[in-house]
Amino acid sequence: GPGSGKTTVVTKRIANLITKGVPPWQILALTFTNKAAKEMRERVFNVLDSQGLHGRGLTVSTFHAFCARVLRDWGDRIIGTTTFTIYDTADQRSAAKAAIRACNLNNSNWKPASVLSVISSAKNKLIDVDTFQNEASDFYAKSIGKIYRAYENILRGNDAVDFDDLLLKTAQLLFRDEEVKQSLQDRYQYLMIDEYQDTNHTQFVIADNIAKNHRN
């Protein structure tokens, strides 16, 4: 629960690993918000400074920022580009509105926020548009599937991804590309996740694939 010391455990474990001789660049610490990542980074470096240690190469990041970095390096293998734009909430809403219009559906019946919520939920369960459409069995799901398809076409046409794509595409990349998976496993020998209980399925798959060999 809150205040029980979860972040303190992660922070001190990172410092302890570095004290024991683990290179900082082999350590990956992930959390969920920019604020939490900034706080953890500050706490880690304060502990290291107090012990006369350095943390050069240490990665302390949110899941989304980490995945964006992975896709900037390897994205051409899964989305065909490494120079994509990341759509913010306003961009996503505009794309959803355009997708609904492209499907000849009414914005008053199909609210962009509601549609985006369903698409986001699907992506966080590793359900891409092909899987979603294949599994759609009623009018509502089939309609959402059409909008999902149009929405994805708009994103790809604009060389863009949304926040959930950062996770989904990284998970798919780890599934499909052994070289990328091996590279990340070799680089990050120690993986820590603050607030681990908040991981969704896609985030779990990313963490599991990175930690699968060394299990640290």
Side-chain angles (χ1 to χ4, degrees):
S4 61
K6 296 187 295 293
T7 304
T8 299
V9 170
V10 172
T11 301
K12 292 193 174 181
R13 182 164 191 251
I14 291 170
N16 188 53
L17 288 169
I18 293 172
T19 301
K20 295 286 175 60
V22 174
W25 56 268
Q26 289 188 340
I27 301 171
L28 171 61
L30 296 174
T31 188
F32 293 87
T33 67
N34 290 324
K35 180 182 178 183
K38 180 174 181 288
E39 179 187 338
M40 193 194 302
R41 200 174 297 114
E42 289 173 350
R43 288 171 67 170
V44 169
F45 280 96
N46 284 340
V47 172
L48 293 176
D49 288 344
S50 71
Q51 298 181 22
L53 300 168
H54 75 81
R56 286 189 295 276
L58 173 67
T59 302
V60 180
S61 174
T62 64
F63 265 100
H64 288 86
F66 172 72
C67 289
R69 188 188 305 182
V70 170
L71 293 175
R72 291 294 182 203
D73 289 336
W74 307 95
D76 55 322
R77 300 188 179 205
I78 191 70
I79 53 177
T81 179
T82 58
T83 59
F84 52 85
T85 299
I86 301 172
Y87 270 14
D88 62 18
T89 304
D91 296 325
Q92 288 177 244
R93 188 178 289 267
S94 295
K97 285 180 180 177
I100 292 165
R101 286 196 301 272
C103 294
N104 296 315
L105 296 169
N106 193 317
N107 268 330
S108 60
N109 294 329
W110 300 90
K111 302 291 186 186
S114 298
V115 170
L116 284 171
S117 177
V118 176
I119 293 173
S120 176
S121 178
K123 289 183 177 183
N124 285 324
K125 294 173 184 171
L126 276 185
I127 300 172
D128 61 16
V129 65
D130 292 332
T131 305
F132 191 98
Q133 288 194 307
N134 287 338
E135 294 178 354
S137 59
D138 56 31
F139 173 76
Y140 176 79
K142 288 178 180 178
S143 298
I144 292 286
K146 290 177 184 176
I147 299 170
Y148 190 174
R149 175 72 66 186
Y151 174 76
E152 290 296 286
N153 288 341
I154 290 167
L155 262 61
R156 296 296 91 78
N158 290 315
D159 195 16
V161 297
D162 63 20
F163 288 127
D164 297 308
D165 280 331
L166 295 173
L167 303 177
L168 172 66
K169 297 303 179 184
T170 300
Q172 290 177 333
L173 185 60
L174 287 165
F175 271 138
R176 299 175 187 177
D177 196 307
E178 192 62 33
E179 183 185 359
V180 174
K181 184 168 74 172
Q182 190 66 53
S183 176
L184 291 175
Q185 287 177 346
D186 290 345
R187 164 79 191 268
Y188 299 112
Q189 298 284 316
Y190 295 85
L191 170 59
M192 279 150 285
I193 302 172
D194 196 29
E195 304 288 354
Y196 176 77
Q197 75 281 359
D198 290 337
T199 49
N200 61 38
H201 178 63
T202 305
Q203 289 162 333
F204 166 76
V205 165
I206 292 166
D208 183 55
N209 272 279
I210 293 172
K212 189 166 281 183
N213 278 353
H214 51 67
R215 304 188 69 79
N216 293 320

